[in-house]
Structure formats: structure tokens, C-alpha cells
């Protein structure tokens, strides 16, 4: 695991003592507390999914109610005990694990659906509901959760809102800034601010919930979420294309928007490196196309009438072949095929992470520039002779992501982390993004990885505003410290 460089523990924060433990035991039951008697369990809360960051927390609190979260926060604020709120701990920027001995406040035990209104589609749940369970609940009620991620089996609704994750169907259902109707949040001083009963439209002043969407637990703990669920599509289909250059990927996107229009629900791309890693990783799963290409595109349609959608998709496939935009294409024949095509996309992050480690960037750029950052990085790695078969440290550079959202994920799969690779990548990547007026975090957040890097995307005055807000809500700075700002 990567050590935490260049930070020192803030000595203003109190070190946990027996009196603190006694207090937590007085308000929580035994199954709501984990401490150093359970070292293995502690480790899973301290270590991130990529195994890149590891904290040293000796205390994990897993309260079962908002009231208990409130008592915990008030106490921690009074005593200046630092706290890291944690959902499913699937984040990719070291945001959800402690850096030193911060208390981990896990939402895992707050896992109940609170309410569902099938007429408006309003779904309310505790923050700790696993996304898969939210999907299942809504599926059983003829709806879907408006967001899906490769980590759906582990990530939690509150964590997803807290990091403002984007996911695979953003193109259709849009941002959490639009889908979240209301939040229940415990502030650092223990006060509960709630507009969980909010209405679809409400223009009575500042929209305060927006502050907590994407705040990564730096100004409060999200304990409840109200969100608009969409009607469950009755028809789903997918096509997989092989394409030779990124210009053509863009042309295909324009064509898909125009010809598939209201049924288009995802437009994802992967480059050669991404698919090479995934082919190695998925071993026995037959690849859907006959040949290898420079780019692959997965297009999903979802709508209410299978015949109508399939007709549209078939016509689209035919016209792309006729116009010679694509080299090869394959349309799913049934649900199993559809799932398999998605497996090729959803497995890319795990495949890239299977060699030892990865350097990971998540960026927004104008569509015309989207792939250029990946090309520039690959060229640098090549020029330095760092990429190739062992013993070279870099296995492959993998660029993939969400064309529809102008979001590329760049994963540099490595055999080991080295300073040489890191120095080649950073600050180059960030400077490149800044020069193109892009964003250094499209949907994964800031966390520990991108601390102190907001200025590549945000202006001084914006950062000052953020700092003012942070200081106002969290004057002691106890919420998820050493990250973000
Ligand atoms: C995805 O789009 C997720 O698959 C994860 O945002 C991307 O691991 C990544 O870099
Ligand atoms: Zn993504």
C-alpha cells in the first residue's frame, strides 16, 4: 500500500482514550462498535478497494439510527475527535478511509428502505442501503434506481450521493444534483438538517442539499436520501462496435443521438488496452467481435416497447455498416447476450487492477479532446521505455469511459508502484487537463489522491467559497480531514 506522503497528523485532534470508549459504549450497543479486539475486521475499514491507502483507525462505529449518529457527532465535535464517514468503501480516490487514527463512522447498519411512492416514483431510504438492494426493491415495484455502477453490489446509496457518482446511465437519467430530492444530514455539531420530505419543485431559497452532494463527508454525514426513481424500462438492448479512431467514435455518438434518440441510454467506450486487459482477466468468456480494434463502443437502448426499440437499433446497425463508420458490430440477441456485452465494459476497472496496482485518473474534457489525454500519457510512458512485458513496470495504459458525459477514465495498470512512473504521470496529467479547461475529477471525487489539486480545475475565488463553507459547517475541521480542501 502507498504510504500517505507529506501529511502529518493534526495535533489539534484528540487521541481516543478510555473515557471516549466508555461514552460510545453508553450510547451504542455491542454490535454497533468495533475496536482493536477485532483487528481483521478493523483492517477492512482502514484499507481502500485499490489497496493503495491504509489508515490506522482503532475504532469503527456502526450506529443504527440518525439519532445515534447525531450523538456521536456532537461528542466528537465537542472533544475534537476526527471522523471519517464511510459507506461501502468502494471509492477510488482514498476518500473513505482514515489517514491516521480518525474514527470510522460506518453507515452499514442504517440499511432500511423508508418509503416508496409508486405514483411520483419518490424513493426514500437510509444512507447505508446497498445500491444493489435499492435496485432490487425498485425493480420489484416496477421502477429503477436512476444510477448504476460497476460497484453496485457493495456501494451504498449515501456514499454514492456523498461522492456524486455518475455511473453508466448518466446520459439518460442525469446527475444526482437533479435526481436527489432531499437529504437528511447530521452536521458536525450533531444538529440534523433534513429536507427528506422535499417536493419535486421547491424554490424557497438556497438549495442546501446540493452542498452535501459531492462533499465527500467533509461538512456532514448523510443519513437519509430521497431520490426520484425512473419507470422500469420494458425493453433493453445493446450493441458492441469495433472502431479504428476516436473521431469516428464521436461521429457514431452524434448518429446514435439522432437515430436512437429517446431510447439511447448509454454510450460507453473502451480502448485497445482496456479490452486487452479484460480479455486476459475474463479468460474463458468469448469476446463478442472477431477482430481486435483500436476502440470499442457499447451502446445501450432502453424503452417501453421491445419491437420498436429493436427495429430502431437494427436500422441503426445497418446504417452504420453501410456508412462504413464501424469495422465490426454485434447486437445482443437476448438478455444473456446483453449481460455479456455489459460484462466487457463493467469488468474493465477490475481487470486493470489485477496486475499489482494502478494509477487512476477520472477526467472530464470537451469531447473532441476526450481521448487525447490518454494518447499523450501513453506516449510519455513509451518514450521513457516503461511500458511493456515484465520487467517493465507498466503493463498497459487503459482509457475508457462515458462518451455521452465527456468523461474518460485512465487506468495505468502497473506491476508495481514506483516514483518514476508517478513523476512521469503527475503533475503532467493535471497540467494537461488544466490546459484543456477540463476537470480533474469527473465523477470519482477528490479524496486523498487529489488533495490540494482543486486549483487545476477551480478558480481561487471558487476555492475560497468552498473553504468558507467548510469552516462554517465544520469549524473544528473534524470531518474527513486531510482530504478535499
Ligand atoms: C466506471 O465507469 C467507474 O467503470 C470506475 O467509474 C472507473 O475504475 C474506474 O476508473
Ligand atoms: Zn465511470
Amino acid at each position: 500500500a502507498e504510504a500517505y506522503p507529506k501529511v502529518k497528523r493534526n495535533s489539534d485532534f484528540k487521541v481516543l482514550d478510555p473515557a471516549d470508549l466508555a461514552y460510545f459504549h453508553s450510547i451504542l450497543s455491542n454490535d454497533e462498535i468495533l475496536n482493536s479486539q477485532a483487528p481483521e475486521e478493523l483492517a477492512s475499514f482502514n484499507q481502500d478497494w485499490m489497496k493503495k491507502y491504509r489508515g490506522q483507525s482503532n475504532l469503527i462505529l456502526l450506529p443504527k439510527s440518525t439519532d445515534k449518529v447525531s450523538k456521536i457527532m456532537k461528542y466528537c465535535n465537542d472533544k475534537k475527535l476526527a471522523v471519517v464517514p464511510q459507506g461501502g468503501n468502494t471509492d477510488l480516490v482514498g476518500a473513505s478511509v482514515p489517514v491516521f487514527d480518525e474514527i470510522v463512522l460506518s453507515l452499514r447498519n442504517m440499511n432500511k428502505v423508508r418509503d416508496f411512492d409508486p405514483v411520483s416514483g419518490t424513493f426514500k431510504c437510509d444512507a447505508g442501503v446497498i445500491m444493489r438492494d435499492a435496485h432490487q426493491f425498485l425493480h420489484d415495484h416496477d421502477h429503477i434506481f436512476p444510477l448504476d455502477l460497476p460497484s453496485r453490489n457493495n456501494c451504498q446509496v449515501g456514499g454514492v450521493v456523498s461522492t456524486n457518482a455518475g455511473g453508466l446511465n448518466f446520459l439518460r437519467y442525469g446527475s444526482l444534483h437533479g435526481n436527489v430530492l432531499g437529504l437528511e444530514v447530521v452536521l458536525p455539531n450533531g444538529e440534523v438538517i433534513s429536507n427528506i420530505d422535499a417536493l419535486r419543485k421547491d424554490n424557497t431559497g438556497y438549495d442546501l442539499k446540493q452542498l452535501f452532494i459531492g462533499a465527500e463527508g467533509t461538512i456532514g454525514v448523510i443519513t437519509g436520501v430521497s431520490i426520484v426513481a425512473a419507470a422500469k424500462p420494458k425493453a433493453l438492448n445493446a450493441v458492441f462496435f469495433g472502431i479504428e479512431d476516436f473521431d469516428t467514435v464521436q461521429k457514431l455518438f452524434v448518429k446514435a443521438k439522432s437515430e436512437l434518440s429517446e431510447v439511447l441510454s448509454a454510450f460507453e467506450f473502451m480502448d485497445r488496452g482496456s479490452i486487452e486487459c479484460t480479455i486476459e482477466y475474463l479468460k474463458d468468456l468469448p469476446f463478442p467481435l472477431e477482430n481486435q480494434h483500436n476502440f470499442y463502443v457499447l451502446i445501450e437502448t432502453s424503452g417501453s416497447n421491445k419491437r420498436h426499440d429493436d427495429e430502431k437499433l437494427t436500422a441503426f446497425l445497418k446504417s452504420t455498416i453501410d456508412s462504413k463508420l464501424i469495422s465490426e458490430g454485434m447486437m445482443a440477441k437476448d438478455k444473456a447476450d446483453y449481460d455479456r456485452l455489459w460484462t466487457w465494459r463493467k469488468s474493465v476497472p477490475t481487470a486493470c487492477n489485477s496486475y499489482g496496482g494502478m494509477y487512476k485518473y477520472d477526467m472530464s474534457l470537451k469531447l473532441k479532446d476526450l481521448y487525447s489525454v490518454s494518447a499523450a500519457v501513453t506516449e510519455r510512458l513509451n518514450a521513457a521505455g516503461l511500458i511493456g512485458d515484465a520487467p517493465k513496470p507498466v503493463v498497459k495504459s487503459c482509457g475508457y469511459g462515458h462518451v455521452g458525459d465527456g468523461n474518460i477514465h485512465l487506468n495505468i495498470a502497473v506491476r508495481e508502484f514506483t516514483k518514476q512512473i508517478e513523476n512521469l504521470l503527475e503533475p503532467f496529467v493535471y497540467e494537461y487537463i488544466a490546459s484543456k479547461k477540463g476537470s480533474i475529477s469527473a465523477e470519482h471525487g477528490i479524496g486523498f489522491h487529489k488533495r490540494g489539486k482543486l486549483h487545476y480545475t477551480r478558480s481561487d475565488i471558487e476555492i475560497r467559497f468552498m473553504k468558507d463553507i467548510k469552516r462554517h459547517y465544520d469549524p473544528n475541521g473534524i470531518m474527513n480531514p486531510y482530504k478535499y480542501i
Side-chain angles (χ1 to χ4, degrees):
E2 188 178 272
Y4 288 108
K6 293 175 242 136
V7 252
K8 282 229 281 288
R9 186 183 180 284
N10 179 348
S11 57
D12 290 348
F13 296 145
K14 181 172 189 257
V15 175
L16 211 60
D17 67 26
D20 302 322
L21 280 179
Y23 174 77
F24 293 127
H25 277 285
S26 79
I27 59 162
L28 300 171
S29 56
N30 284 339
D31 58 343
E32 295 172 294
I33 302 186
L34 267 175
N35 60 17
S36 42
Q37 289 113 39
E40 266 143 56
E41 272 191 283
L42 282 183
S44 71
F45 294 87
N46 273 301
Q47 173 101 67
D48 74 315
W49 177 79
M50 295 183 297
K51 301 209 172 2
K52 222 173 160 179
Y53 304 103
R54 186 165 49 215
Q56 303 138 38
S57 180
N58 281 320
L59 181 64
I60 319 296
L61 303 178
L62 309 103
K64 291 182 182 165
S65 69
T66 304
D67 184 49
K68 288 178 177 181
V69 175
S70 158
K71 289 198 171 93
I72 293 168
M73 285 318 308
K74 176 161 183 8
Y75 182 85
C76 289
N77 193 43
D78 289 348
K79 302 281 176 190
K80 294 205 173 62
L81 285 161
V83 176
V84 178
Q86 190 179 90
N89 196 13
T90 57
D91 95 284
L92 301 167
V93 291
S96 57
V97 285
V99 178
F100 297 103
D101 57 346
E102 300 90 277
I103 295 171
V104 175
L105 176 50
S106 166
L107 279 300
R108 180 188 287 186
N109 280 333
M110 289 188 62
N111 54 12
K112 306 265 181 318
V113 171
R114 295 189 187 180
D115 188 40
F116 177 62
D117 171 13
V119 180
S120 65
T122 305
F123 173 74
K124 293 178 190 165
C125 70
D126 291 347
V129 167
I130 294 175
M131 183 188 276
R132 173 199 58 208
D133 299 339
H135 268 285
Q136 189 58 53
F137 176 94
L138 286 166
H139 190 269
D140 296 344
H141 292 79
D142 231 16
H143 278 71
I144 58 164
F145 194 76
L147 183 90
D148 201 1
L149 302 175
S151 58
R152 54 141 61 193
N153 290 342
N154 301 296
C155 69
Q156 297 174 6
V157 172
V160 158
V161 171
S162 199
T163 49
N164 190 23
L168 303 166
N169 298 116
F170 188 100
L171 167 71
R172 166 70 74 84
Y173 300 108
S175 156
L176 287 169
H177 283 296
N179 286 321
V180 170
L181 296 177
L183 292 177
E184 177 189 85
V185 180
V186 177
L187 296 175
N189 66 6
E191 272 181 309
V192 180
I193 176 169
S194 175
N195 65 344
I196 194 141
D197 293 318
L199 309 158
R200 191 83 167 97
K201 285 180 143 180
D202 186 356
N203 271 0
T204 48
Y206 300 139
D207 191 358
L208 295 175
K209 68 173 183 289
Q210 301 297 356
L211 278 179
F212 301 96
I213 303 175
E216 299 177 30
T218 55
I219 49 176
V221 185
I222 295 176
T223 50
V225 174
S226 165
I227 195 164
V228 199
K232 183 167 76 187
K234 301 203 170 42
L236 282 172
N237 211 339
V239 269
F240 203 85
F241 290 113
I243 297 173
E244 299 325 314
D245 60 78
F246 197 73
D247 258 1
T248 309
V249 172
Q250 295 176 66
K251 288 191 186 125
L252 191 67
F253 179 50
V254 173
K255 194 169 162 61
K257 281 195 291 183
S258 127
E259 291 174 24
L260 299 170
S261 53
E262 82 287 357
V263 296
L264 178 65
S265 52
F267 193 109
E268 301 282 306
F269 86 102
M270 293 138 276
D271 67 1
R272 184 181 279 268
S274 308
I275 286 297
E276 281 172 357
C277 287
T278 311
I279 287 175
E280 233 173 87
Y281 178 74
L282 293 175
K283 287 186 199 86
D284 302 327
L285 192 72
F287 189 61
L289 304 181
E290 274 169 31
N291 303 301
Q292 300 276 312
H293 304 276
N294 291 331
F295 293 95
Y296 302 88
V297 163
L298 172 66
I299 294 178
E300 182 196 73
T301 60
S302 52
S304 57
N305 182 328
K306 177 96 177 116
R307 232 186 50 209
H308 165 267
D309 293 10
D310 286 359
E311 256 168 39
K312 270 193 152 171
L313 199 57
T314 311
F316 176 71
L317 186 60
K318 184 171 177 319
S319 83
T320 50
I321 293 169
D322 292 349
S323 63
K324 302 210 167 17
L325 272 184
I326 57 155
S327 308
E328 224 190 315
M330 188 263 189
M331 179 168 148
K333 288 181 299 298
D334 50 27
K335 176 71 168 60
D337 249 8
Y338 162 91
D339 287 340
R340 266 192 297 273
L341 291 185
W342 265 114
T343 300
W344 287 98
R345 166 61 184 86
K346 291 184 186 169
S347 305
V348 176
T350 320
C352 296
N353 201 27
S354 64
Y355 298 91
M358 63 182 157
Y359 292 94
K360 188 182 270 301
Y361 303 93
D362 158 45
M363 302 159 290
S364 273
L365 284 163
K366 292 193 190 80
L367 262 182
K368 70 175 175 56
D369 296 330
L370 191 63
Y371 194 70
S372 68
V373 62
S374 171
V377 166
T378 309
E379 199 182 301
R380 267 172 89 77
L381 291 168
N382 262 324
L386 290 178
I387 189 163
D389 293 336
K392 300 212 167 157
V394 179
V395 184
K396 259 180 232 313
S397 156
C398 308
Y400 63 99
H402 318 287
V403 173
D405 321 331
N407 177 190
I408 182 168
H409 300 303
L410 182 60
N411 290 357
I412 310 298
V414 297
R415 301 189 170 86
E416 54 178 336
F417 295 117
T418 72
K419 266 274 155 260
Q420 195 192 7
I421 308 175
E422 198 183 310
N423 292 339
L424 218 84
L425 294 172
E426 296 182 24
F428 175 79
V429 171
Y430 300 119
E431 284 169 359
Y432 187 92
I433 294 300
S435 77
K436 301 275 184 208
K437 300 203 184 323
S439 170
I440 60 156
S441 172
E443 60 168 354
H444 294 170
I446 303 295
F448 188 81
H449 181 203
K450 288 173 249 180
R451 73 194 291 266
K453 299 197 167 61
L454 277 175
H455 64 94
Y456 287 109
T457 298
R458 300 292 199 179
S459 66
D460 290 350
I461 184 159
E462 285 176 300
I463 295 174
R464 201 182 74 219
F465 252 82
M466 291 191 206
K467 286 187 171 163
D468 285 348
I469 290 167
K470 166 78 175 169
R471 260 193 298 271
H472 175 77
Y473 281 102
D474 182 21
N476 294 329
I478 58 164
M479 297 297 300
N480 210 1
Y482 315 108
K483 300 157 185 159
Y484 215 82
I485 35 178

